[in-house]
Amino acid sequence: MNLLTGEYRNTLDEKGRILFPAKLRNELTDNILIVTQALDHCLWLFTPGEWQNLSSKIMESASPFNMKNRLVLRRLIAPAQELEFDRSGRISIPQSLREYASLDKDCILLGINKYIELWDSASYKTYLEESDKSFREAAEDLSTISF
């Protein structure tokens, strides 16, 4: 798998399906993605291999006897579902996950190297506006990186 990068705008149809960009779809080796709730009220989509890697690390470090660990398990691991592309290159987002991310019609897919984020377009615009100052501060913290 090559890097999954780019910002793509697409619409969610009345059945909760979204056409997956061909550029991203062509980088995938499987016809399957795992989708789950993410931070910031968007969805994370992973290849099965990347999901296995992440979920295993979480499960190895989380104890069901720890309140904070249970919260993470319930919010990230439990809602995860396997999605398969249809013949038209669409994936059907489950209703519970559409509600969590407030997905309406206009959506944005963000390729972030090893995973993809799916946002409601209006929510993403608000997120960008509200996080601009924090982004600038976070970028300053990366000042040791040179290229």
Side-chain angles (χ1 to χ4, degrees), residues 79-108:
Q81 296 188 42
E82 187 175 285
L83 307 179
E84 191 168 353
F85 290 101
D86 67 13
R87 291 181 184 160
S88 299
R90 299 174 298 195
I91 53 174
S92 183
I93 308 298
Q95 178 70 27
S96 61
L97 294 174
R98 289 195 316 262
E99 289 173 5
Y100 169 80
S102 302
L103 298 180
D104 188 24
K105 184 175 180 177
D106 296 324
C107 295
I108 294 179

Side-chain angles (χ1 to χ4, degrees), residues 113-128:
N113 194 349
K114 293 185 176 187
Y115 68 98
I116 298 162
E117 289 185 347
L118 177 57
W119 286 82
D120 174 75
S121 185
S123 297
Y124 186 61
K125 181 180 178 188
T126 300
Y127 168 80
L128 288 176

